[in-house]
Amino acid sequence: MIILYYASVDFYSKPNPSYHLMTTMLEDILKAGHSVHLVGCKEKGLEKHIPDNLAANAQFSYELAEVKPVKKSHFVSRYLSGIMYAVKTRKFIKKQKNKADLIFVQSSPTVLYNIRNARKYAGRAKILYNIQDMFPGSSIASGVMKRRWMQKVFFALQKCAYKKADVITVISEDMKRKVEEQGVLSDKIKVIVNWFDNTSVQYIEWEENRFVKKYELDKQKFYVQYAGTMGYVFDYEMVLNVAKLLQEYAGIEFQMIGAGSQKQEFMSRAEELKLDNIKFLPLEPQEMVSDVYSACSVCFIPLKKGVIGNSVPSKAGLLMACKKPIVSSVDEYSDYYNMINENKFGYAVGTDKPEDAAGALLKLYQDRELCKEYGENGYKYGHDLYSRDKNMKEYLDLFCELAEKR
């Protein structure tokens, strides 16, 4: 089977949550004996775009269109860059006409233009549209897209993208409902959750942990950690409110690791409020994932209202693999909210309830055995649901099914 992998405009050009997911996907497709031709972007000024292990594989080939780097916070520039990327990659897709058995189109705000290219030159190949973030839903929920007319325009464009795809994969039941609300039939949508790489992500003992050694962390402290993108879906106001409520507990430290459009404002507000229990650290390289998550006592995932369903935190599975409990502020009674509480691997609270989040963190701080127990619960639950082996088997089975229908 030959799979044409149509990447998003920023894939492999900058750190992003999909990096490890899609890299492991490509590795497993090749390992299963299939061929992959990747169409992607080459960002000006960046030397390396494709991981060495993929580039060296005889079953893997790629073509890259050069794009100019654009700041993530510049929505209009990013959107125009995505359209230009679609224009530049059209010739690459055209060359693959009647060669591919399946076209995998990766999620992006400008996905419609990529799917149009794929549809025009697909031949008999089926088109699979993989949604990682709902657009424009995620932008609306995070407050980036406030104008109603703009929301209507982009919802209409997304409906066109849904219509042109043969199959749509989403990463949660909450997200599936969002797609159905936009008129897509249920049997066209398949839920396959984002996974952690169970061959490389695992708990690292404190004494062997590189992140612990790098920052000389104190084993007696209780580290409440967020590691990832501090963008518009990240509710830093929730972190500030919770940190203020727990400021009197000297043994609790909030560890904010990463970068993003909201980080500078977050840091300024923390300084303004004199919250010295919040420490800011830079993003670590991908190979440090296990060390970073293993170093925390609990992970805090604060999401803005309406985000869940439009997006899903990719770090949940990674934390479970590292045996760490989760405290998350999220839309109440969503599947994600219920999953955390019902399976007892942490606490999910409402997006407007910092007192509840503070109470949950304090309970885990004061009962270290319960904290450990919830981490173990997450590990057991996560291996059943979030493992690479399980979910890549679902994808490979789906790929083969679609290829047979061409």
Side-chain angles (χ1 to χ4, degrees), residues 225-277:
Q225 183 192 91
Y226 175 86
T229 303
M230 298 177 202
Y232 290 105
V233 301
F234 170 74
D235 188 359
Y236 71 80
E237 287 289 349
M238 174 63 80
V239 181
L240 294 171
N241 290 332
V242 173
K244 189 174 183 179
L245 289 168
L246 298 177
Q247 196 170 16
E248 65 182 275
Y249 296 91
I252 301 177
E253 181 177 301
F254 288 77
Q255 208 174 59
M256 301 289 109
I257 305 165
S261 58
Q262 301 298 290
K263 184 175 182 178
Q264 191 55 55
E265 190 174 335
F266 182 17
M267 292 173 66
S268 298
R269 290 277 289 120
E271 185 177 357
E272 179 187 320
L273 294 168
K274 295 181 171 56
L275 294 173
D276 56 3
N277 56 344

Side-chain angles (χ1 to χ4, degrees), residues 196-345:
F196 64 86
D197 183 358
N198 52 300
T199 64
S200 63
V201 180
Q202 57 193 330
Y203 174 70
I204 307 292
E205 293 289 345
W206 186 271
E207 292 72 20
E208 301 169 5
N209 192 301
R210 294 172 293 174
F211 185 76
V212 166
K213 293 175 181 177
K214 180 176 180 178
Y215 289 103
E216 299 180 341
L217 301 185
D218 183 350
K219 194 173 185 179
Q220 301 308 310
K221 277 202 169 184
F222 188 83
Y223 292 102
V224 178
Q225 183 192 91
Y226 175 86
T229 303
M230 298 177 202
Y232 290 105
V233 301
F234 170 74
D235 188 359
Y236 71 80
E237 287 289 349
M238 174 63 80
V239 181
L240 294 171
N241 290 332
V242 173
K244 189 174 183 179
L245 289 168
L246 298 177
Q247 196 170 16
E248 65 182 275
Y249 296 91
I252 301 177
E253 181 177 301
F254 288 77
Q255 208 174 59
M256 301 289 109
I257 305 165
S261 58
Q262 301 298 290
K263 184 175 182 178
Q264 191 55 55
E265 190 174 335
F266 182 17
M267 292 173 66
S268 298
R269 290 277 289 120
E271 185 177 357
E272 179 187 320
L273 294 168
K274 295 181 171 56
L275 294 173
D276 56 3
N277 56 344
I278 302 179
K279 305 297 181 187
F280 293 92
L281 299 170
L283 186 69
E284 291 291 327
Q286 189 69 27
E287 61 268 20
M288 287 285 284
V289 165
S290 293
D291 297 83
V292 171
Y293 288 137
S294 296
C296 74
S297 306
V298 59
C299 179
F300 187 26
I301 306 176
L303 301 174
K304 290 183 178 178
K305 186 176 179 60
V307 167
I308 211 67
N310 289 299
S311 183
V312 177
S314 59
K315 58 181 60 60
L318 300 170
L319 287 155
M320 292 178 191
C322 295
K323 301 182 179 181
K324 298 299 173 180
I326 297 168
V327 171
S328 183
S329 53
V330 63
D331 291 39
E332 289 185 275
Y333 310 113
S334 60
D335 278 8
Y336 186 75
Y337 175 97
N338 292 331
M339 176 183 72
I340 294 174
N341 289 327
E342 290 173 2
N343 293 285
K344 297 186 183 300
F345 57 81

Side-chain angles (χ1 to χ4, degrees), residues 73 75 138-147 150 232-233 262 304:
S73 57
F75 172 77
S138 187
S139 296
I140 294 168
S142 61
V144 175
M145 190 182 293
K146 297 178 180 179
R147 294 181 176 87
M150 190 179 289
Y232 290 105
V233 301
Q262 301 298 290
K304 290 183 178 178

Side-chain angles (χ1 to χ4, degrees), residues 51-286:
D52 292 339
N53 65 320
L54 295 179
N57 193 305
Q59 295 297 105
F60 181 84
S61 58
Y62 62 93
E63 292 175 290
L64 305 177
E66 187 170 297
V67 295
K68 293 180 181 179
V70 179
K71 287 186 178 180
K72 197 170 183 180
S73 57
H74 295 175
F75 172 77
V76 175
S77 297
R78 282 185 67 215
Y79 198 83
L80 292 175
S81 176
I83 294 175
M84 184 55 64
Y85 168 70
V87 171
K88 287 185 174 183
T89 52
R90 187 184 300 154
K91 60 185 178 183
F92 300 149
I93 303 299
K94 185 177 181 179
K95 282 196 292 184
Q96 298 302 313
K97 186 174 183 180
N98 296 322
K99 293 181 182 178
D101 298 297
L102 168 71
I103 303 177
F104 181 99
V105 183
Q106 193 183 11
S107 180
S108 74
T110 51
V111 71
L112 169 62
Y113 308 99
N114 297 346
I115 289 183
R116 284 178 64 184
N117 286 344
R119 184 83 279 162
K120 186 172 182 179
Y121 302 115
R124 295 170 58 196
K126 299 294 183 182
I127 297 173
L128 186 154
Y129 170 24
N130 171 251
I131 303 179
Q132 292 290 318
D133 284 292
M134 294 282 291
F135 182 80
S138 187
S139 296
I140 294 168
S142 61
V144 175
M145 190 182 293
K146 297 178 180 179
R147 294 181 176 87
R148 290 291 180 90
W149 68 265
M150 190 179 289
Q151 295 172 12
K152 289 180 180 179
V153 167
F154 285 113
F155 270 125
L157 292 174
Q158 280 303 105
K159 286 183 179 180
C160 292
Y162 299 146
K163 188 175 181 179
K164 290 179 182 294
D166 294 298
V167 173
I168 298 168
T169 57
V170 296
I171 56 178
S172 73
E173 291 292 341
D174 289 316
M175 190 176 283
K176 181 180 180 182
R177 279 193 289 275
K178 291 283 185 184
V179 178
E180 288 175 336
E181 286 170 8
Q182 295 181 59
V184 181
L185 296 177
S186 178
D187 58 5
K188 188 174 179 175
I189 312 164
K190 184 170 177 61
V191 179
I192 305 179
V193 303
N194 282 348
W195 57 89
F196 64 86
D197 183 358
N198 52 300
T199 64
S200 63
V201 180
Q202 57 193 330
Y203 174 70
I204 307 292
E205 293 289 345
W206 186 271
E207 292 72 20
E208 301 169 5
N209 192 301
R210 294 172 293 174
F211 185 76
V212 166
K213 293 175 181 177
K214 180 176 180 178
Y215 289 103
E216 299 180 341
L217 301 185
D218 183 350
K219 194 173 185 179
Q220 301 308 310
K221 277 202 169 184
F222 188 83
Y223 292 102
V224 178
Q225 183 192 91
Y226 175 86
T229 303
M230 298 177 202
Y232 290 105
V233 301
F234 170 74
D235 188 359
Y236 71 80
E237 287 289 349
M238 174 63 80
V239 181
L240 294 171
N241 290 332
V242 173
K244 189 174 183 179
L245 289 168
L246 298 177
Q247 196 170 16
E248 65 182 275
Y249 296 91
I252 301 177
E253 181 177 301
F254 288 77
Q255 208 174 59
M256 301 289 109
I257 305 165
S261 58
Q262 301 298 290
K263 184 175 182 178
Q264 191 55 55
E265 190 174 335
F266 182 17
M267 292 173 66
S268 298
R269 290 277 289 120
E271 185 177 357
E272 179 187 320
L273 294 168
K274 295 181 171 56
L275 294 173
D276 56 3
N277 56 344
I278 302 179
K279 305 297 181 187
F280 293 92
L281 299 170
L283 186 69
E284 291 291 327
Q286 189 69 27

